[in-house]
Amino acid sequence: MRNGDAGNRAGMPGYSSGSSGRNPQEPVAGASSLTAIRENSGQKTKKLMEAVVERENMFRALRQVEANKGSAGIDGVSVVTLRASLREHWPRIKEELLEGRYQPQPVRRVEIPKPGGKGMRQLGIPTVMDRLIQQALNQVMQPIFDPGFSESSYGFRPGRSAHQAVLKAREYAAAGKRWVVDMDLEKFFDRVNHDILMARLARKIGDKRVLKLIRGYLEVGLMVGGIVSPRTEGTPQGGPLSPLLSNVLLDDLDKELEKRGHTFCRYADDCAPRRRRMGSIN
């Protein structure tokens, strides 16, 4: 049996010579499990992992990871050689995911300068295999959580952008709301409490395999100079799942601001509440 046949039988698509030229952003037709998730987004999902490893979902994730490119993780496997790696390893990895035994690899720590010379931003670069799995997770989790997010949240959401946030802020100003409180949640990604985040996820996810896998991604160590440092808090920026997890955690902040009658625009960990007159937003 050829390697490509083995990969396809295991449910991992994308090994034919004609598959790589398709648009990574195009919608996937016939993804029955994803459709069911969208229709039941208000209920806990207990068989989410089956939807994660579904052929159409993995094919879509593969093309997205290839389109995003990016550097290799600690194992040195590049995006260019990802398909070859999948031919060899995907049947085993799929089995481990379905049985709840998959162990994410540590991330490679990279520091890049923040805009405006405001210090350095720490990134955690997962292996391309883990980026693929995170992307597949993101694609099935987004339809579950996104419909419940605040209308004032604009970061890392389908059909929303920073430009829309600016336009909404201008609307608030035109309506007479002149006072602006510019908030930046300092080191938010470095200080995420894992237990609180997992509790938020468990509100809508009933598949313990998925929750265990996400916990694994939160707790994998950071590798620097060949040494892995354990992590007990935070979610390093650099993986496809990190933006969605941040929105899940910050949704409680959005709801509290709405409860108190504040109008605001939030983009990830940046938030700008507006008021007609100055007052406390504590």
Side-chain angles (χ1 to χ4, degrees):
M1 181 185 296
R2 293 175 300 173
N3 285 338
D5 293 333
N8 281 327
R9 289 195 180 189
M12 184 63 226
Y15 299 117
S16 65
S17 60
S19 65
S20 60
R22 297 176 64 185
N23 185 344
Q25 299 291 347
E26 71 181 79
V28 177
S32 57
S33 293
L34 295 181
T35 301
I37 288 171
R38 292 187 180 96
E39 291 174 351
N40 297 283
S41 59
Q43 302 176 3
K44 284 191 175 183
T45 51
K46 294 187 177 180
K47 290 191 175 182
L48 199 63
M49 189 63 80
E50 280 73 14
V52 171
V53 300
E54 187 180 50
R55 185 179 190 276
E56 290 85 352
N57 187 56
M58 292 304 303
F59 197 176
R60 182 184 175 195
L62 173 62
R63 290 183 293 170
Q64 188 62 57
V65 169
E66 290 177 330
N68 291 343
K69 299 180 181 180
S71 58
I74 64 167
D75 59 358
V77 177
S78 68
V79 173
V80 175
T81 58
L82 174 58
R83 291 189 181 228
S85 180
L86 286 168
R87 292 190 193 101
E88 181 178 356
H89 300 294
W90 176 246
R92 171 184 57 81
I93 291 173
K94 179 182 178 182
E95 179 180 331
E96 291 177 356
L97 288 168
L98 288 172
E99 294 180 358
R101 296 186 291 108
Y102 180 78
Q103 296 292 328
Q105 296 189 60
V107 297
R108 182 169 60 87
R109 193 178 77 177
V110 176
E111 290 186 343
I112 61 173
K114 291 183 178 181
K118 298 180 180 179
M120 304 295 289
R121 173 176 286 116
Q122 180 176 283
L123 302 180
I125 309 300
T127 65
V128 289
M129 187 67 73
D130 280 323
R131 294 210 294 272
L132 175 70
I133 296 170
Q134 285 193 34
Q135 179 64 34
L137 278 168
N138 181 72
Q139 289 167 185
V140 299
M141 289 173 59
Q142 190 86 43
I144 296 172
F145 288 95
D146 194 81
F149 288 156
S150 168
E151 287 297 313
S152 298
S153 170
Y154 292 89
F156 309 111
R157 298 181 61 190
R160 288 176 169 259
S161 65
H163 180 67
Q164 291 174 332
V166 171
L167 292 178
K168 178 57 68 173
R170 288 179 177 176
E171 288 183 21
Y172 291 148
K177 297 178 179 180
R178 302 293 184 179
W179 289 99
V180 181
V181 180
D182 186 9
M183 301 191 308
D184 185 353
L185 305 178
E186 185 179 5
K187 295 185 177 180
F188 166 74
F189 288 95
D190 298 332
R191 296 172 176 170
V192 168
N193 184 293
H194 293 172
D195 291 336
I196 293 176
L197 174 56
M198 293 307 302
R200 300 294 184 271
L201 293 170
R203 290 173 178 175
K204 292 188 176 181
I205 294 179
D207 192 325
K208 294 182 179 179
R209 298 166 299 177
V210 170
L211 294 173
K212 179 183 177 182
L213 180 59
I214 295 173
R215 169 76 78 167
Y217 279 123
L218 292 174
E219 294 181 348
V220 291
L222 291 166
M223 178 174 283
V224 183
I227 299 175
V228 178
S229 301
R231 187 169 72 247
T232 57
E233 64 178 358
T235 170
Q237 301 176 70
L241 197 56
S242 180
L244 175 60
L245 297 182
S246 69
N247 276 332
V248 169
L249 190 59
L250 289 172
D251 189 55
D252 281 1
L253 170 64
D254 297 340
K255 297 301 193 294
E256 182 63 25
L257 290 173
E258 291 171 349
K259 180 180 176 181
R260 299 186 184 195
H262 300 302
T263 54
F264 64 96
C265 300
R266 182 178 65 78
Y267 194 95
D269 55 345
D270 293 304
C271 184
R274 288 177 173 266
R275 296 177 63 87
R276 290 185 182 275
R277 61 186 65 182
M278 193 58 181
S280 172
I281 63 169
N282 291 332

